[in-house]
Amino acid sequence: MEKGHRRFGSVFGFSPTILSQRQRKHLFGLTSECNRQILSDPVTFRSCSLSARGPAGSAINRIRTGFQPPQADGRNEIRKLVMPFFTKSAVQGSQTDIVQLAEECLETCPVGTEQDMSIRLREFSLRISCRLLFRGETFDHAQMLSEMFQDFVRRSYFSLATVLPINLPATPYRRFMQRCEQLADQLDEMVQKRKTSDSAEPDILELMVRNCRNTNSEGGAPLDLIGPATFLFIAS
């Protein structure tokens, strides 16, 4: 994605596979204005899944859906539930926490030393997510998940795994499937931990779990939270 941005600018597209009867083109818009236009106009634009489709019943199909399920299954309600976490007023209300995290981050940067700001900013963003959105996770665990998500995105769009989706032993695609299973296991553990929690200040994932619990008690179909959790963790 970074290479595409450098080469083509803030808007570019590509087709991820060559072994497909129908070539799908993915469009990337990497500015705040693109986000506003695309996300505020669901009639014209449709957010795609986070990766190419995998085999039936595979972990990748649980991860990839995000908030775009094949049919209505309660995710619109979850979308409404999590939106307040991403409003301007919510960010302003978290100002004290963000300033404290920034001060802690600066204290680990000795004066006069050179720092890779891309690494430092990723770490700072992750600490903000842990504090404000995923309070149930330690920073070390969130950092491990972040590395797994980065690997997932890279393999989903810019690797032989999706260019040649051949699910045979020792192929890049099979290794990608195995990585997705490991990631899904980690996300399942996060969800299960929230199911037994009754925190007075639930994080965003626990609110999603509670919403699903209420939906199920009212006779709704059980909802797999792996897709929405993936989307929110990557977005944050």
Side-chain angles (χ1 to χ4, degrees):
M1 192 179 300
E2 292 176 353
K3 292 180 181 178
H5 187 202
R6 287 196 297 268
R7 182 175 179 181
F8 301 111
S10 59
V11 179
F12 64 95
F14 75 103
S15 297
T17 65
I18 61 176
L19 297 181
S20 176
Q21 296 179 350
R22 181 175 61 172
Q23 288 291 320
R24 289 188 174 184
K25 292 185 178 179
H26 295 263
L27 179 66
F28 287 86
L30 304 180
T31 65
S32 58
E33 178 59 23
C34 287
N35 281 340
R36 187 193 66 78
Q37 292 184 34
I38 293 172
L39 298 179
S40 64
D41 187 3
V43 176
T44 304
F45 301 100
R46 183 179 69 85
S47 299
C48 64
S49 299
L50 298 174
S51 176
R53 186 183 302 277
S58 63
I60 188 174
N61 285 347
R62 299 180 63 200
I63 295 171
R64 67 186 288 273
T65 56
F67 284 98
Q68 288 293 130
Q71 57 187 13
D73 62 356
R75 297 190 198 202
N76 287 334
E77 286 72 17
I78 292 181
R79 191 197 302 266
K80 294 176 183 178
L81 181 71
V82 303
M83 280 303 296
F85 284 86
F86 298 93
T87 61
K88 183 177 180 180
S89 60
V91 175
Q92 292 174 338
S94 303
Q95 179 178 351
T96 301
D97 286 319
I98 295 174
V99 170
Q100 180 183 351
L101 289 170
E103 291 175 344
E104 293 173 358
C105 185
L106 289 173
E107 289 175 357
T108 64
C109 301
V111 176
T113 61
E114 293 185 359
Q115 301 284 329
D116 187 331
M117 291 308 298
S118 64
I119 295 176
R120 301 297 298 188
L121 287 173
R122 282 200 300 270
E123 179 182 323
F124 180 53
S125 298
L126 187 60
R127 289 188 182 277
I128 291 177
S129 295
C130 284
R131 176 74 64 86
L132 304 182
L133 301 178
F134 297 97
R135 286 189 288 269
E137 302 306 314
T138 65
F139 175 75
D140 289 340
H141 186 226
Q143 191 169 38
M144 180 194 70
L145 282 173
S146 176
E147 293 171 356
M148 295 179 74
F149 279 125
Q150 289 179 43
D151 181 70
F152 168 77
V153 172
R154 179 179 62 81
R155 292 174 185 268
S156 295
Y157 293 106
F158 305 101
S159 74
L160 287 175
T162 49
V163 174
L164 297 171
I166 302 173
N167 192 19
L168 294 174
T171 61
Y173 189 75
R174 175 63 64 84
R175 289 194 292 272
F176 179 42
M177 294 295 101
Q178 292 170 342
R179 294 293 183 92
C180 288
E181 290 173 0
Q182 295 169 2
L183 178 55
D185 288 343
Q186 290 291 329
L187 293 169
D188 273 328
E189 289 182 10
M190 291 171 60
V191 171
Q192 291 301 321
K193 182 165 63 175
R194 267 68 174 189
K195 287 183 177 180
T196 59
S197 173
D198 191 22
S199 173
E201 296 183 354
D203 63 15
I204 191 169
L205 186 54
E206 187 169 340
L207 284 175
M208 290 163 59
V209 169
R210 292 182 182 182
N211 180 75
C212 289
R213 185 184 303 155
N214 294 336
T215 300
N216 294 343
S217 65
E218 295 172 0
L223 175 62
D224 190 348
L225 292 176
I226 297 304
T230 296
F231 185 92
L232 289 171
F233 198 97
I234 292 177
S236 65

